[in-house]
Amino acid sequence: MVSGGGTNLQALIDAQKSGLIHSGEIVLVASNNLQAYALKRAEENGIESVVMTDEEELIRVFQEKDIQLVVLAGFLKILSSRFIRAFEDRIINIHPSLIPSFCGKGCYGLHVHEKALDYGVKITGATVHYVNEIPDGGRIIAQKAVEIKEDDTPQTLQRRVMEEAEWVLLPRAVEQISEMIAKGEK
Ligand code: GAR
């Protein structure tokens, strides 16, 4: 599921192409935003996509397609309890900070890096976690630290966190969980 630029989706597509992700397949890209560049990335790679804001409908579509793992790859909206319950323990999210810092409601995208810089922390990073009804509150799967530089802006920091942490962590986590699902361990 995506909302914007889709660089995390791109990392997943690239990982699938390189064979790093081989225990599962990206079958559908769902966006809550018609303008999301992520949709173009899906199209260019021959992946089906849907634009949908009605979560009831999304639940139906995902169930129809027998989706086993829902990956929030730059999805910037908080999901309803109904949606979360429909795919319990099968939704993961990438967040651009070391949870429990700089996370929760209203803390997403560039805001996360603005907050980290305002606070003055010297180390930030990214976290992949399961999604439950507490925003950014589900069990942590993987984390990676990234150093903050003196002259960082929210934009330069966002880019470094993506390159050094997000695009590395998310594909690995997706493969790890897909493998567990494929082996019936989950
Ligand atoms: C990424 O940094 C992702 O971690 C973040 O939004 C950005 C989306 O970029 N997600 C959140 O803040 C979720 N709370 P992308 O569309 O290029 O992947």
Side-chain angles (χ1 to χ4, degrees):
M1 294 178 75
V2 294
S3 297
T7 64
N8 278 289
L9 170 65
Q10 190 66 54
L12 295 174
I13 293 170
D14 294 347
Q16 185 166 281
K17 282 187 182 158
S18 75
L20 192 144
I21 293 179
H22 57 269
S23 301
E25 188 193 344
I26 308 167
V27 289
L28 182 69
V29 170
S31 174
N32 62 331
N33 169 17
L34 180 63
Q35 307 299 330
Y37 188 72
L39 290 167
K40 183 121 183 82
R41 296 181 193 270
E43 190 190 340
E44 278 169 359
N45 288 280
I47 301 166
E48 189 185 341
S49 63
V50 288
V51 179
M52 236 173 239
T53 47
D54 179 347
E55 288 179 20
E56 290 301 317
E57 211 161 309
L58 263 186
I59 294 173
R60 260 200 307 281
V61 171
F62 285 10
Q63 284 174 343
E64 251 170 45
K65 292 196 171 290
D66 196 24
I67 302 285
Q68 297 293 308
L69 180 64
V70 179
V71 182
L72 309 185
F75 187 69
L76 304 182
K77 204 178 145 231
I78 291 178
L79 290 163
S80 66
S81 315
R82 253 195 64 80
F83 185 93
I84 292 167
R85 277 199 300 268
F87 302 100
E88 198 162 9
D89 217 26
R90 291 295 180 103
I91 311 174
I92 67 170
N93 179 44
I94 177 95
H95 183 78
S97 75
L98 293 174
I99 290 175
S101 290
F102 314 117
C103 62
K105 201 163 177 273
C107 204
Y108 59 86
L110 207 56
H111 301 307
V112 180
H113 306 293
E114 286 165 359
K115 287 190 182 185
L117 290 174
D118 283 351
Y119 204 99
V121 292
K122 304 302 174 209
I123 292 171
T124 185
T127 304
V128 180
H129 64 93
Y130 284 102
V131 172
N132 65 11
E133 289 176 34
I134 303 161
D136 297 322
R139 194 153 43 87
I140 290 175
I141 301 162
Q143 285 189 308
K144 192 165 189 287
V146 173
E147 231 174 282
I148 294 183
K149 295 190 177 160
E150 281 285 313
D151 59 350
D152 261 332
T153 63
Q155 287 78 9
T156 61
L157 183 57
Q158 180 180 50
R159 182 76 194 181
R160 185 154 0 89
V161 169
M162 283 175 160
E163 282 176 358
E164 292 183 12
E166 297 186 47
W167 302 341
V168 181
L169 282 187
L170 188 61
R172 272 197 214 148
V174 167
E175 171 54 24
Q176 186 194 327
I177 298 167
S178 300
E179 192 183 17
M180 279 160 54
I181 293 171
K183 286 182 174 164
E185 292 168 1
K186 186 169 171 58

